[in-house]
Amino acid sequence: MPEHCPVCGLRYERELGFYWGAMYMSYGLSVGIVVTVGLLLYHVFNDPPTWVYLTAVATIITVFTPILFRYGRVMMLYFFGSVSFDVKYRKP
Ligand SMILES: [Zn+2]
């Protein structure tokens, strides 16, 4: 993650350790994926054996980890970073 926004120059790390909270954001997203995949497997695939649940969830979470990591940070920045976009402060 770059230190500053390449367009407006915003410093992304609002304070020291700001993104620790992003772990909880990505954890929440992961839980949402696990519950969704679990419900889909249960209802659409008629409750397959446990190894299918574990394999499917582990595979999907592993594939989505980079996205969850970034979206956790973005959510942290939007919810707690006091950041809002205004085009008039954009660098030329
Ligand atoms: Zn920016």
Side-chain angles (χ1 to χ4, degrees):
M1 182 172 176
E3 276 188 37
H4 297 272
C5 174
V7 176
C8 68
L10 171 78
R11 186 170 185 263
Y12 287 127
E13 188 159 11
R14 310 307 295 159
E15 60 189 21
L16 193 64
F18 177 75
Y19 289 107
W20 277 86
M23 287 191 307
Y24 298 102
M25 300 284 177
S26 66
Y27 174 73
L29 293 171
S30 301
V31 169
I33 288 174
V34 167
V35 168
T36 304
V37 168
L39 288 173
L40 274 175
L41 287 174
Y42 184 82
H43 290 291
V44 177
F45 295 96
N46 283 332
D47 194 16
T50 305
W51 71 266
V52 175
Y53 286 99
L54 294 175
T55 305
V57 165
T59 303
I60 290 170
I61 290 295
T62 302
V63 167
F64 278 91
T65 292
I67 295 167
L68 295 175
F69 178 79
R70 286 173 186 260
Y71 273 94
R73 287 182 161 230
V74 168
M75 289 167 63
M76 190 70 194
L77 198 56
Y78 272 101
F79 293 155
F80 303 107
S82 305
V83 174
S84 60
F85 176 73
D86 191 334
V87 74
K88 73 180 175 188
Y89 295 112
R90 184 177 169 188
K91 277 185 185 173

